Amino acid sequence: MCGENIFNRNIMNIKRAILFGIILYLVSFLIIGSLRILFGGYVSDTYALPLRVFVVAWIVYIPVLFFLTKWYFREVSPSVKHGFWLGIIAYLTTSFIDLVGFTSLRLAGQPTEIYGYLYGDWKFWVTLAWGLVLCMLSGGEFDKTFTKRKS
C-alpha cells in the first residue's frame, strides 16, 4: 500500500493524535519534574539533568507509552507505520507547546535558557527517539494482538 494516505480518517485520527501529544507532554512534564525533585535537581549551574533522571524516565516511559498508545489505537487501526506517525504528530504537538511556552516567557521578559539546555542535551534526543520506538512497537504489538488474520 505505497499510495496509502495515512491522514485518511479511517486510518489516522489527527485530533486524537494531537490530544495524545498533549497528554504525553503533561505526563512527561510530571515524570521528569518528579524525578528531578527525587534525584536532587540539576547538574552544577546549568539546567542539565543528571543521566540517572533520564534512565529512570526511559524505564517509566515503557508502561506509560504503552497505556497511552493503547488508548489511541482503540479508534485507529494499529500498525508500526501508524505508530511511527503517531509519534511524529505527538512530537510536533509537544514542540508546538514548547514554542508557545518559550514565546510567552520571552514576551514576559523571563529567562528562557532552559530551552537551550533541554534541546541541546543528547539525553533529550535519545528520549524522543525512545518514545518514537515505543509508539512503533505499540502499533506493531497491538496489530498482532487485535487484528484478526485470515489464513
Side-chain angles (χ1 to χ4, degrees):
M1 299 211 167
C2 292
E4 180 180 78
N5 180 2
I6 62 145
F7 299 110
N8 180 331
R9 176 114 173 98
N10 296 328
I11 298 171
M12 193 86 191
N13 187 329
I14 302 299
K15 289 179 187 174
R16 196 171 181 86
I18 291 171
L19 182 59
F20 173 90
I22 293 168
I23 294 169
L24 179 62
Y25 184 86
L26 294 173
V27 168
S28 296
F29 190 81
L30 290 172
I31 290 171
I32 295 294
S34 299
L35 292 173
R36 184 181 64 98
I37 292 168
L38 183 67
F39 288 117
Y42 299 111
V43 176
S44 67
D45 294 335
T46 70
Y47 288 110
L49 290 169
L51 179 61
R52 66 182 174 268
V53 168
F54 282 94
V55 170
V56 173
W58 296 333
I59 294 167
V60 171
Y61 280 145
I62 295 170
V64 167
L65 274 170
F66 280 149
F67 175 76
L68 287 174
T69 53
K70 185 174 179 103
W71 168 80
Y72 173 79
F73 285 122
R74 275 189 335 183
E75 308 247 341
V76 177
S77 61
S79 72
V80 173
K81 182 178 180 180
H82 296 155
F84 172 79
W85 284 108
L86 173 63
I88 295 296
I89 292 169
Y91 289 136
L92 288 174
T93 303
T94 58
S95 296
F96 179 76
I97 294 169
D98 272 346
L99 178 65
V100 169
F102 175 80
T103 305
S104 300
L105 287 174
R106 288 294 281 178
L107 291 174
Q110 298 297 316
T112 55
E113 295 86 16
I114 192 166
Y115 288 101
Y117 289 114
L118 177 65
Y119 282 92
D121 192 350
W122 66 269
K123 297 175 292 256
F124 172 76
W125 296 103
V126 169
T127 303
L128 290 183
W130 179 237
L132 187 60
V133 166
L134 289 174
C135 285
M136 292 168 58
L137 287 173
S138 295
E141 179 59 30
F142 296 145
D143 184 35
K144 290 177 191 168
T145 306
F146 298 112
T147 303
K148 294 180 181 170
R149 308 263 187 225
K150 293 183 180 180
S151 301

